[in-house]
Amino acid sequence: MTVDTTVSRSPWARVKGIWAARKVLALLIRRDLKVKYASSALGYVWAVLDPLLMAGVYWFVFTQIFQRLDVGAEPYIVFLVAGLLPWQWFTGAVNTSGRALNASAKLIRAQNLPREIWVLRPVLAGAVSYVFALPVLALFVVVYGAGVTWYVLLMPVAMLVMIVLLTGIGLLLAPLIVLIKDLDPIVNVVVRLLFYASPIIYSHRDLPPGYEWASVANPLNGILGMFRAAFFPDQLQVSGALTATAISFGFLAVGWLVFARLERTVLKEI
Amino acid sequence: MSSEVVRPPVDHDAPPIIEVEGLSLRFHKSRRHRSIRDLLFKGQTGVRAGEFWALDDVSFSVQPGEAIGVVGANGQGKSTLLKALTGTLLPDQGSVKVHGGISPLIEITGGFVGELTVRENIQVVSGLHGMSRREIDAAFDEIVEFAEIASSLDSPYKHLSSGMKVRVAFAVVSRLEEPIMLVDEVLAVGDRAFREKCWDRIEEMLAEGRTFFLVSHSERDLTRFCTRGLYMQAGRVTMDGPIEEVVEAYLKDSDDNLALRRHEVRQRRQARREAREAAIREQAAADAERDREADES
């Protein structure tokens, strides 16, 4: 192993560095999941309870109180769970990866690992948690008799695009949150607004005329469409999925650039 | 060889294992708000007000198997230098080339998690430092024995006392088979018996011919383990030579400083006393004047 900090490292050298640290990354993720699932008696239940409770609440509000049966798609509870699980991944990863450099400061100071892995760690841990929660989704699908189509093959694609998007956002936010103190609460607010701005409790088809641009501009729209296509093929919006992929890779490029540029400064501040 | 430790001779014709050239690192004196625009689009060049160079044009190279003691008063850049060597700080100017892995005995408790048990922590942290599953299994018993922790292997790490935490951490990090070893005053904690055990372990590693960096203020430890010294003052290496000479220069400087400080304190006390006496004299003169005036009237 050779440490060479002579020049700012090329993107290729960075990729190789991350690949070399893949075992450490896997170890960190395993440790995170262990802490999450093994540290309390209800471990796994807690992990899926949050989206299930939220799904229950929205189901009650829209179908029982407002008596709206045309929102989203039928069965609405499956529609909700299929959207809330990826959303939980998204919000968890954005919040954690944004604070990742501050939170892991001790380890970062102690060891020369590629700094990108602190961002990748919550993103990939979220992916694993999402997969762990899939049996619950399957249960709802079976109980409520939603059909499964071949579009289920889009789910791994959706996960990949989600990973790209989240990594990009994380790489962008993590160094900025270290250097700019006010950014963390702003991110919190934006993420909360994004929940209502994304087709999670409603479908992109429910957007009133004149707001179609919103579904194209928001990468979550296309990604959620791919996640749901297995059970709700009509939720898949091809243009949305393509722009979401493009935007996600855009985020990754910009995020990585900012991350590489600020790394040196950030290391002194943590 | 000046140190007391038996070790293989240093091959001075071998290619250096560490090459540091013109290494400079800049810090802010205070946390200052920068605008996003500043950060993203302005370069990092040019010294700004409120900045100082923690490392200033440092150059040296190290042969495999050398044992180097870094001396200097607090805040002169010793720890910054070690961090630049591990790569946890990146140089603003110049370069650091390290050909080989490093066992950093710096902030050794960094990877431990309070929620996990001691056993799980030992496995995870060894893995974090790049040990394979098999290596961990092979070293596990030795680590436990060294840390004398067998009885609390399955209690959460956070229940250990701070001294015990350092023991476990040292036991793990000192098991790494890296050719370079950096030690930064980590051994200040821990009781005396354990400290001695740690030094014995370090001695063992030195005997295997590892390259060694030690930051310390202890004249005894420095001369016991090191052969070469780097004296750091205000971010520069002002002296690079045999450890005895470097330690002597450092002690002389700090003695001088101490003497100077004592001298200053004495002078200040003297000045205060004189001022007090002058005030008393003045008061007495004024009193006498008043008495005389009273007598005259």
Side-chain angles (χ1 to χ4, degrees):
Chain A
M1 192 182 82
T2 300
V3 177
D4 187 347
T5 51
T6 321
V7 283
S8 23
R9 292 182 300 147
S10 68
W12 179 234
R14 284 177 175 272
V15 173
K16 277 202 293 192
I18 295 170
W19 181 247
R22 67 191 179 281
K23 278 193 182 146
V24 172
L25 181 57
L27 190 76
L28 285 166
I29 292 169
R30 265 206 304 281
R31 188 181 76 179
D32 288 348
L33 294 173
K34 210 172 193 171
V35 171
K36 182 175 169 189
Y37 288 113
S39 60
S40 60
L42 288 177
Y44 180 76
V45 177
W46 287 129
V48 289
L49 203 58
D50 187 284
L52 288 188
L53 284 177
M54 294 310 286
V57 168
Y58 288 116
W59 172 81
F60 185 77
V61 168
F62 285 106
T63 66
Q64 305 301 307
I65 297 180
F66 292 145
Q67 305 273 329
R68 285 285 302 266
L69 299 173
D70 56 338
V71 74
E74 275 306 312
Y76 186 55
I77 188 79
V78 177
F79 179 86
L80 279 175
V81 175
L84 281 165
L85 289 178
W87 170 257
Q88 195 197 18
W89 174 14
F90 179 86
T91 166
V94 168
N95 284 325
T96 323
S97 66
R99 293 189 208 111
L101 293 178
N102 277 329
S104 320
K106 261 176 83 186
L107 254 177
I108 296 171
R109 284 198 304 261
Q111 252 176 297
N112 181 25
L113 292 165
R115 258 64 67 170
E116 285 90 346
I117 71 167
W118 307 113
V119 170
L120 282 170
R121 170 187 174 186
V123 173
L124 297 180
V128 177
S129 295
Y130 174 76
V131 173
F132 280 4
L134 281 179
V136 176
L137 177 60
L139 188 71
F140 274 84
V141 168
V142 171
V143 170
Y144 288 89
V148 180
T149 67
W150 280 110
Y151 284 120
V152 73
L153 295 176
L154 272 181
M155 215 176 247
V157 179
M159 288 183 68
L160 277 181
V161 178
M162 185 74 131
I163 288 170
V164 170
L165 176 66
L166 285 171
T167 307
I169 294 175
L171 288 173
L172 178 68
L173 289 181
L176 291 178
I177 283 178
V178 173
L179 301 175
I180 305 165
K181 294 293 153 239
D182 304 332
L183 202 56
D184 199 17
I186 296 176
V187 170
N188 273 333
V189 172
V190 170
V191 168
R192 240 181 308 157
L193 292 180
L194 203 57
F195 177 79
Y196 295 100
S198 306
I200 296 164
I201 50 178
Y202 56 87
S203 156
H204 71 268
R205 293 158 175 274
D206 299 328
L207 286 171
Y211 286 94
E212 289 87 357
W213 58 269
S215 72
V216 178
N218 181 356
L220 279 172
N221 171 56
I223 295 176
L224 285 167
M226 286 194 278
F227 269 117
R228 279 174 172 151
F231 323 107
F232 308 100
D234 58 334
Q235 296 300 316
L236 182 66
Q237 191 189 24
V238 176
S239 62
L242 291 178
T243 42
T245 310
I247 292 173
S248 300
F249 277 96
F251 260 109
L252 183 63
V254 172
W256 213 342
L257 205 71
V258 171
F259 191 88
R261 188 97 169 82
L262 296 182
E263 191 175 20
R264 185 196 316 261
T265 315
V266 163
L267 284 176
K268 293 176 192 168
E269 294 285 331
I270 57 173
Chain B
M1 283 288 128
S2 49
S3 84
E4 302 154 23
V5 180
V6 187
R7 83 183 94 215
V10 174
D11 179 3
H12 286 280
D13 298 323
I17 192 165
I18 297 172
E19 293 168 273
V20 176
E21 242 190 78
L23 168 63
S24 301
L25 245 154
R26 182 175 55 208
F27 275 94
H28 293 275
K29 273 193 176 127
S30 57
R31 221 177 254 281
R32 33 194 294 162
H33 274 282
R34 299 169 150 213
S35 68
I36 296 178
R37 191 180 143 270
D38 232 336
L39 284 166
L40 296 188
F41 301 114
K42 280 196 188 163
Q44 298 273 311
T45 51
V47 176
R48 288 201 197 170
E51 291 179 329
F52 72 100
W53 293 93
L55 291 176
D56 189 359
D57 197 16
V58 172
S59 301
F60 60 88
S61 77
V62 178
Q63 296 302 121
E66 274 196 286
I68 295 174
V70 186
V71 294
N74 290 334
Q76 305 302 306
K78 302 187 299 293
S79 297
T80 310
L81 176 65
L82 288 207
K83 282 183 182 158
L85 289 180
T86 58
T88 52
L89 280 177
L90 302 174
D92 287 308
Q93 285 168 25
S95 72
V96 176
K97 283 182 196 163
V98 180
H99 309 288
I102 291 181
S103 313
L105 277 77
I106 307 169
E107 310 216 18
I108 48 177
T109 52
F112 289 81
V113 186
E115 274 71 32
L116 298 180
T117 66
V118 174
R119 183 194 304 277
E120 288 166 333
N121 264 303
I122 291 176
Q123 283 158 352
V124 169
V125 174
S126 310
L128 278 184
H129 281 94
M131 282 170 85
S132 71
R133 182 67 36 108
R134 198 161 349 106
E135 285 170 327
I136 297 170
D137 288 342
F140 188 82
D141 291 340
E142 252 181 284
I143 290 171
V144 172
E145 195 195 325
F146 190 90
E148 298 163 27
I149 198 82
S151 57
S152 28
L153 260 184
D154 290 307
S155 45
Y157 181 73
K158 62 182 170 194
H159 288 181
L160 300 187
S161 71
S162 50
M164 287 309 272
K165 285 180 184 165
V166 174
R167 276 182 184 225
V168 177
F170 182 88
V172 171
V173 180
S174 68
R175 236 356 93 179
L176 302 174
E177 301 282 336
E178 305 288 7
I180 304 168
M181 183 169 44
L182 307 183
V183 179
D184 187 2
E185 293 171 306
V186 274
L187 304 178
V189 246
D191 55 47
R192 225 168 117 196
F194 187 72
R195 218 154 52 206
E196 211 33 61
K197 204 167 164 183
C198 291
W199 287 124
D200 286 346
R201 173 76 193 124
I202 287 174
E203 218 161 85
E204 239 173 73
M205 290 158 87
L206 283 173
E208 291 164 11
R210 300 200 206 192
T211 309
F212 181 59
F213 262 85
L214 172 66
V215 168
S216 177
H217 292 285
S218 156
E219 180 196 350
R220 202 178 125 256
D221 295 339
L222 285 164
T223 48
R224 174 172 165 200
F225 295 105
C226 304
T227 48
R228 176 177 165 192
L230 296 179
Y231 186 7
M232 298 215 55
Q233 282 176 303
R236 289 171 171 273
V237 173
T238 50
M239 195 175 167
D240 178 355
I243 188 74
E244 283 85 5
E245 290 174 26
V246 172
V247 167
E248 200 175 306
Y250 166 60
L251 289 180
K252 191 169 165 295
D253 284 355
S254 44
D255 279 351
D256 286 353
N257 278 338
L258 209 64
L260 202 68
R261 213 171 307 145
R262 281 206 196 107
H263 179 69
E264 276 171 9
V265 169
R266 254 200 313 274
Q267 272 193 327
R268 229 176 295 141
R269 227 179 264 152
Q270 176 83 23
R272 267 207 303 274
R273 194 163 47 228
E274 275 167 13
R276 209 161 43 227
E277 280 165 7
I280 290 169
R281 268 199 306 278
E282 238 167 72
Q283 185 65 39
D287 286 351
E289 181 76 10
R290 209 178 44 236
D291 287 350
R292 206 169 49 241
E293 278 171 13
D295 284 349
E296 278 169 12
S297 66

